[in-house]
Amino acid sequence: MRAALDGAPPDLVATALLLTSELVTNAVIHARTEIEVRAWAAAGRVHVRISDERPCRALVERRLHPYATTGWGMALVDALASTHGVQIEGGRKTAWFELWPEAPPPPPASAQVIMSRPGPAVTVTLVDLPYALYSAARQHWEALLRELLLAVYGSDPSGAPVRAEDILVAHDLSNVIGGSMAAAVDKDISEADTISVSLAIPADSARDLGTFCCVLEDADAAAQQESLLTLPALPQIRAFWQWICDEVARQVAGEHPISWTLAPGTPSTRPLDLAAWDAGDLQASPVPTIAADEEDRIIAVNEPVADLLGWRADDLVGQRVTVLIPEHLRERHMVAFTSLLLTGQPRILGHSIPLPALHRDGRLVHVRLNIQIQEAADGRTVFVAQLTPRTAAPRAPREDRYAPRPTSGDRYAPAAPEKTERVIGEETYEAALERLSLLADAGSALSSTLDLEEGLNRACNVLTRRLADWCAVDLLEEHGHVERTSIVHRDPRALTSGVYLGRLPPVSEASHGPLARVLRGAGPLLLTEIPSPGRAPSPLDARQLDLFTRLGASSAIIAPLRARREVLGALTLVRTDAGRPFTEQDLPLVSDLVRGIALGVDSARLYQKTRHTAERLQRSLLPHLPHIEHLQLAARYAPSSTTAQVGGDWYDAFVLPSGDTVLVIGDVTGHDLQAAVAMSALRNMLRGIALDRQQPPGDVLRRLDLASHVLYRQATATCLYGLVKGPKNGPWQLHHASAGHLPPLLTTAEGDTRYLEEGAGLLIGMDPDLPRPTACDPLPAHSTLLLFTDGLIERRGESLDDSLSRLRQHTAALARAPLDVFCDELLIGLGAHSADDIALLAVRPVPP
């Protein structure tokens, strides 16, 4: 080819060689026929023609993301050719380009080669398809198929993990799916959209679906075994292309479509996983949240997580995630993260994991970590981690306030067929039903969760679907502070970075605007003319008018949230369409709405206050472990990830006047304030009995049972009481007795494990007259004694023997780990799936 272009400018020749190689590669991969290449130079210009004998493979528009690993051939032609095109004549297709010395005109859109077969087609409807996730899934399977093709055309085709003919069939069907999607999707679609789309799949191509699925599964399995350079699919990518395969197969068989949000076995069905990742959502979240990329670098941080861990948000962006991980857990994190990328198999994704985070000053902050995966519109995979402080209730999965919703032709209500209206007083029968339905749906949304912010979000989602274009809720906090708790817009793209939640300016004497008036008790107020922010008399009024300007407001209603003769906050409802403004006829409905919302806010606050009191009580009952020269002690308490943050689990350790060390672990039946109160009483009684008469553990538990039977007849509890005896240099012994509690686990430094099952007796509160035995077991130096509650091991549907065996395996692997690492690793490894509170106490005898 260089000889054919002799005399042309060298830079044009180099470009021609590059583009020719790309087009020839396309012809080899997609046409798979004889190829003819013609090239010549004339008048300083280069002309190239590449022909194949398969004209049915046409060109269609293709969207390329910066992180795509395939499909750049035609993009290079677009970018570098002065002009180019495709000609189809008879049984041949010719792709051509020309290179001119002068500047080329603007290039056309990028394109790719796909299969276009004549004949009947099958219509396949994909419902609730997250377009960003589709793009990422398609990029991944195209990378797998491209590498398989390279193996087939390489020097040793036998090395390919899949048969050559199957790879070609799968590659063709991938092109069909991509082309059908490009033809069906509007060109102006946002990558962040969730859409429902109907694809026209050629009937003969649909028959190749089984081969396509098998090739992808075999290729992904080979990637997991590191037989390919392409990394295996992450869980949501794998689930997504399996869903597409299932939908094509089901609908070809005549079955109805199943949406992505309802598909069984998908990683999650929350709206958070439907929308593309957006840093604005993270910044607006009140939950401490960070986001990281596939290189384990932090790409976004919100203020709550910066405050929690003592950093400025900007200082964290760009650093490795390990800057927030304690040193003893960093290697584990790197191993787990690398394993996820290399195998595609998740271990902690979607689970609430109790572990410590590293504060900037070096101290540990105990949190629950929940990691989700989202796809960004530019093709990246983003790991989004929420760090909930362990003293606060874990949040239920948040419905994404910015998730796109379908809109009907009527902006404010679904279109309905014309019908004869029955009149009831001044209101039609249909309007009355709609009114009652809206009130019921808003109340149900608010009461569907105990989390106040989540409930307000859900209620606002209902209101923006059926009454307003957008709405906001502002709540009065202690000391008169105003907190913007929720902003929801029917168009998620309208909520830009300048629209945020959080603290508003106070209601001052200079505040005379509608929001300030409502927060003082006026209203509901109807605004038919929206003043400009420059006319605001105070910072609070200016903030509200600025929001109206940013999001657009033609009319609005601001109504107070009142309960028990107290103003709790305000609800702002806004319409942006001047053709259908709010009127006085809407005020009665809004009054009823805010009455129900206010009752929900008041109930949620009462619940939160009660829970906060219980949490403070729970924290006050967790003791400081004593410092003992020859004994290392470590303890952990992790509230349930699914229940209220208070319960009956407790641990204790203290030194008796005799020098013996007391170890206690217990669990009062229940997960409420009553259980915490009973636990406090039992703990204090046990301390008093242990100090008053330094008796064998069995006698101490019998006396505790007797006292409990007299003072707390309805309380039942398990308890294990132990005494560590022995001089500073050893040997040491554990004298112990159990009241229905799980046996302690002893792990030697060599990794041998056994449960100390002697000394067992009935639960506290059953029969105080029965004698309770005391057992004695040696504690070897550097061994680890673990006392724990059932939340650490018990799982629904699993036998107790299997649970206990799993715990032994974990402690054996951690036998030589530092005691803090020992405890943290147990919580990480076993605490993710727990639906119960977890308390554990670990003791390790160490000679001075």
Side-chain angles (χ1 to χ4, degrees), residues 605-685:
R605 283 184 164 178
L606 287 173
Y607 168 77
Q608 289 179 345
K609 184 176 181 180
T610 302
R611 186 180 64 183
H612 180 65
T613 301
E615 289 172 0
R616 291 178 60 188
L617 172 62
Q618 185 85 53
R619 290 196 298 271
S620 69
L621 296 176
L622 299 178
H624 295 287
L625 299 179
H627 175 73
I628 305 171
E629 183 179 2
H630 60 283
L631 290 180
Q632 294 180 1
L633 291 96
R636 297 291 185 271
Y637 176 80
S640 165
S641 60
T642 58
T643 63
Q645 298 280 291
V646 63
D649 291 28
W650 91 93
Y651 63 83
D652 204 357
F654 53 92
V655 180
L656 295 175
S658 64
D660 297 338
T661 301
V662 174
L663 307 175
V664 181
I665 194 86
D667 186 1
V668 176
T669 304
H671 296 281
D672 52 18
L673 184 59
Q674 184 177 358
V677 171
M679 177 266 283
S680 174
L682 288 177
R683 172 180 174 269
N684 290 330
M685 285 194 297

Side-chain angles (χ1 to χ4, degrees), residues 426-509:
E426 297 181 357
E427 192 174 36
T428 67
Y429 178 75
E430 286 73 24
L433 286 179
E434 174 64 19
R435 175 193 183 98
L436 292 174
S437 173
L438 178 58
L439 292 172
D441 289 349
S444 176
L446 183 59
S447 62
S448 63
T449 174
L450 293 174
D451 184 273
L452 177 57
E453 294 176 10
E454 184 67 20
L456 290 173
N457 244 6
R458 296 180 183 182
C460 286
N461 276 318
V462 173
L463 297 180
T464 54
R465 284 198 300 267
R466 301 172 59 180
L467 186 63
D469 286 310
W470 62 270
C471 68
V473 177
D474 305 312
L475 296 181
L476 280 170
E477 305 291 346
E478 293 183 4
H479 311 298
H481 296 303
V482 183
E483 192 82 6
R484 179 146 288 159
T485 308
S486 178
I487 302 177
V488 175
H489 200 293
R490 69 167 59 220
D491 181 1
R493 292 167 293 188
L495 294 171
T496 60
S497 58
V499 179
Y500 61 90
L501 304 176
R503 181 70 56 85
L504 297 181
V507 183
S508 64
E509 294 183 0

Side-chain angles (χ1 to χ4, degrees), residues 192-436:
D193 283 347
T194 298
I195 62 173
S196 295
V197 61
S198 295
L199 308 182
I201 306 292
D204 53 350
S205 295
R207 291 194 294 267
D208 297 332
L209 181 69
T211 301
F212 176 73
C213 296
C214 290
V215 169
L216 288 186
E217 290 174 358
D218 291 344
D220 196 56
Q224 292 181 29
Q225 299 297 322
E226 300 185 35
S227 299
L228 302 178
L229 295 177
T230 304
L231 293 174
L234 291 171
Q236 81 283 13
I237 298 291
R238 188 182 306 111
F240 188 78
W241 56 253
Q242 289 174 343
W243 170 71
I244 289 182
C245 292
D246 291 342
E247 282 304 289
V248 175
R250 292 179 65 263
Q251 294 181 46
V252 166
E255 300 184 36
H256 294 294
I258 294 178
S259 71
W260 168 249
T261 56
L262 300 177
T266 57
S268 178
T269 58
R270 296 183 296 137
L272 176 67
D273 299 304
L274 298 181
W277 179 79
D278 187 345
D281 297 352
L282 178 143
Q283 298 295 344
S285 174
V287 182
T289 308
I290 64 173
D293 60 15
E294 289 178 301
E295 294 184 353
D296 208 28
R297 290 193 182 277
I298 298 173
I299 59 175
V301 179
N302 65 3
E303 289 298 332
V305 81
D307 294 341
L308 176 69
L309 300 179
W311 288 82
R312 290 179 63 251
D314 292 343
D315 292 340
L316 283 173
V317 174
Q319 296 202 54
R320 297 282 185 184
V321 172
T322 48
V323 73
L324 302 178
I325 298 175
E327 186 173 356
H328 66 271
L329 296 178
R330 288 175 185 171
E331 183 177 356
R332 176 187 176 91
H333 163 77
M334 293 306 301
V335 169
F337 186 73
T338 305
S339 175
L340 172 64
L341 296 180
L342 293 179
T343 68
Q345 300 299 322
R347 297 185 179 180
I348 66 172
L349 293 182
H351 300 299
S352 179
I353 310 296
L355 47 67
L358 184 64
H359 195 276
R360 189 171 191 174
D361 62 14
R363 60 189 169 91
L364 300 184
V365 179
H366 293 281
V367 299
R368 274 193 174 271
L369 174 68
N370 192 299
I371 302 177
Q372 298 288 345
I373 298 178
Q374 283 186 274
E375 303 304 323
D378 61 7
R380 288 180 298 170
T381 294
V382 179
F383 299 86
V384 182
Q386 294 182 335
L387 286 73
T388 307
R390 220 179 289 172
T391 55
R395 295 176 178 271
R398 176 177 290 274
E399 282 191 332
D400 190 354
R401 70 189 71 179
Y402 308 128
R405 305 181 199 82
T407 56
S408 63
D410 185 325
R411 287 191 76 160
Y412 302 106
E418 294 185 0
K419 58 179 74 175
T420 303
E421 297 183 335
R422 293 172 54 190
V423 178
I424 306 174
E426 297 181 357
E427 192 174 36
T428 67
Y429 178 75
E430 286 73 24
L433 286 179
E434 174 64 19
R435 175 193 183 98
L436 292 174

Side-chain angles (χ1 to χ4, degrees), residues 145-161:
L145 294 176
R146 177 61 57 88
E147 189 169 355
L148 292 179
L149 280 172
L150 291 175
V152 168
Y153 287 109
S155 58
D156 183 16
S158 62

Side-chain angles (χ1 to χ4, degrees), residues 100 146 233 498 800 830:
W100 309 338
R146 177 61 57 88
L800 181 60
L830 300 175

